[in-house]
Amino acid sequence: MGSASRVAGIDAMAFHGTHCYLEMADLATARGVDPDKYIHGLGQRQMAVATPCEDTVTMATVAAHRALDRFDIDPGEIGTLIVGTETGVDHSKPVAVYVHDMLGLAPNCRTFETKHACYGAMAGLTSAMDWISAGRARGRKALIIASDIARYGLNTPGEPTQGAGAVAMVVSERPRLLELDPTSFGDYTRQVMDFWRPLYSKYAFADGHYSIDCYLDAFSGAWRDACENSGTWEPLRLDNIDACFYHVPFTKMARKAHHRHCETEWGISVAKENEAKMTEINASYERQVAPWLELNSIVGNIYTGSLFLCLMDYLRKAHPAGGQRLSMFSYGSGCGAAFGTGVVVANAARYADHIDPATHLAQRRRLDIDRYEQLITASETADHNEAPYPDPADWDLGQGLYYVGTRDHIRQYTGSAADTP
Ligand code: CAA
């Protein structure tokens, strides 16, 4: 019988985004909007844009390859692969099985895809934690990948909250980065129509302002459940947490979430007029949340990976000594949510450079608005089973792993993850 108290946590992490991005100021100007609305009102500076040759499979595979390579993990050690995505490439076949093949994972690796809007990867992470804790892993590791392309369409209210990218995480019994605390996790589910994407649509539908309310209510629900699960809310108190990470569709949302976090813990609602309490909330936000939103502000919404981009930003910049408790809140519209905490492992700071995606992000190419609009339009038909097939050369992409069209109803890929910058 396996021990029920095995430690599980995040052992490796890596990000892969897109080759192109848009400046939010350019988008605002093109839409006749004051740039301050996007940059300060929503808190976004740049937005990653996927070409028709970059899809959920290519981004997931490259991110995972990078995590395994940089943290020196043999693909044969992976016993579970879960890809969390809202942007699946097939109604039946999971993204995960393409990734399994491209990474050369073992045939006895349990492989599947999870979908619950932006909550899919957190569902994968907690499943991996349970798989290890239950003694099912037999010393193997789990690979959890969040990969998404957030698209609301041209000239929509959601347009400035798009983005694309993948975060890969390896979960193991001997984590080098963050030990997850299963007693601190809580869950929340409620049927709401705040954001959804029908089978016939490439673009999400959102009731934007309502979705913000649903998100905040889900925070309170998941946080309360976490306190009940842990039997005491003492370890979960903000005073005992070094940094708070939230799902980040746009960085201003993290400010709203943190406000709700303080209110929920204090058991009161705080109006803007309450200067003393607002000062306390703002100071806590500046210390525990704002410093770790840099990657989100230049990548945009990557749906299920957004929360984990904050964790990566923290691990690459904070240089923690170990022992710091971090909180994570994942929200998936529709809706499902989870709140939980983990504790930074001693020497995690040693891996800051392995995690840091700065070099990759610095190589991105800036799009002008015409090219951005062409690219979005071309993506609408990129997976039709007919020519014209997407061609990496049309989008000035160099070497790398790319999607190159669907022939005989089968998706085609070219290149390899190892060659992708
Ligand atoms: N200068 C500075 N700030 C300005 C400004 C200016 N000139 N003009 C407006 N602002 C501020 C506003 O005051 C507002 O700030 P507060 O929220 O703090 O009041 C902010 O900019 C946004 O302004 P609006 O609310 O007027 O913006 P909007 O109506 O155009 O829509 C949105 C914003 C609802 C987020 C929209 O972009 C949207 O629908 N996005 C998609 C849905 C979404 O992201 N929902 C988030 C919760 S659901 C979720 O998290 C799951 C997921 O990933 C989708």
Side-chain angles (χ1 to χ4, degrees), residues 34 36-37 41 118 152 157 161 208-209 211 247 249 252 256 301 333:
D34 178 354
D36 279 351
K37 173 174 174 180
C118 309
Y152 293 89
T161 64
H209 292 278
S211 72
H247 167 54
K252 175 66 97 48
K256 293 177 193 292
N301 192 1
S333 287

Side-chain angles (χ1 to χ4, degrees), residues 22-30 33 35 38-39 44-45 366:
L22 190 64
E23 286 289 339
M24 298 307 289
D26 293 348
L27 180 63
T29 306
V33 170
Y38 293 171
I39 295 167
Q44 291 305 123
R45 286 160 47 208
R366 178 175 173 174

Side-chain angles (χ1 to χ4, degrees), residues 99-280:
V99 177
H100 178 279
D101 178 47
M102 290 176 187
L103 293 175
L105 302 189
N108 67 342
C109 173
R110 178 179 76 140
T111 298
F112 58 96
E113 177 176 310
T114 51
K115 178 184 71 184
H116 192 147
C118 309
Y119 168 67
M122 180 59 123
L125 182 66
T126 47
S127 299
M129 177 173 78
D130 297 344
W131 177 69
I132 288 174
S133 302
R136 285 247 292 130
R138 305 194 306 267
R140 294 174 301 166
K141 299 173 178 174
L143 175 58
I144 312 304
I145 314 172
S147 185
D148 269 313
I149 300 176
R151 285 222 167 107
Y152 293 89
L154 303 174
N155 291 295
T156 60
E159 188 179 22
T161 64
Q162 300 178 129
V167 174
M169 297 174 275
V170 176
V171 181
S172 85
E173 279 178 42
R174 287 190 199 80
R176 282 171 278 182
L177 302 174
L178 186 75
E179 187 177 318
L180 299 168
D181 175 0
T183 65
S184 71
F185 275 75
D187 303 292
Y188 179 86
T189 301
R190 186 161 71 106
Q191 145 65 0
V192 288
M193 293 305 290
D194 63 329
F195 164 105
W196 65 103
R197 191 161 68 80
L199 290 176
Y200 51 79
S201 179
K202 285 227 176 279
Y203 299 116
F205 290 76
D207 187 343
H209 292 278
Y210 176 57
S211 72
I212 293 173
D213 293 341
C214 293
Y215 174 123
L216 296 175
D217 289 347
F219 175 85
S220 302
W223 185 88
R224 288 195 186 104
D225 189 54
C227 293
E228 270 188 37
N229 186 21
S230 74
T232 165
W233 60 290
E234 198 53 34
L236 303 185
R237 278 167 52 90
L238 281 162
D239 282 350
N240 295 323
I241 292 176
D242 197 51
C244 305
F245 311 131
Y246 303 94
H247 167 54
V248 185
F250 49 93
T251 68
K252 175 66 97 48
M253 191 68 224
R255 182 184 274 279
K256 293 177 193 292
H258 196 65
H259 186 119
R260 175 61 69 93
H261 194 157
C262 295
E263 287 184 325
T264 312
E265 178 172 312
W266 298 341
I268 55 169
S269 72
V270 178
K272 290 206 166 92
E273 296 69 37
N274 186 340
E275 278 183 33
K277 284 289 178 202
M278 281 305 292
T279 304
E280 213 177 316

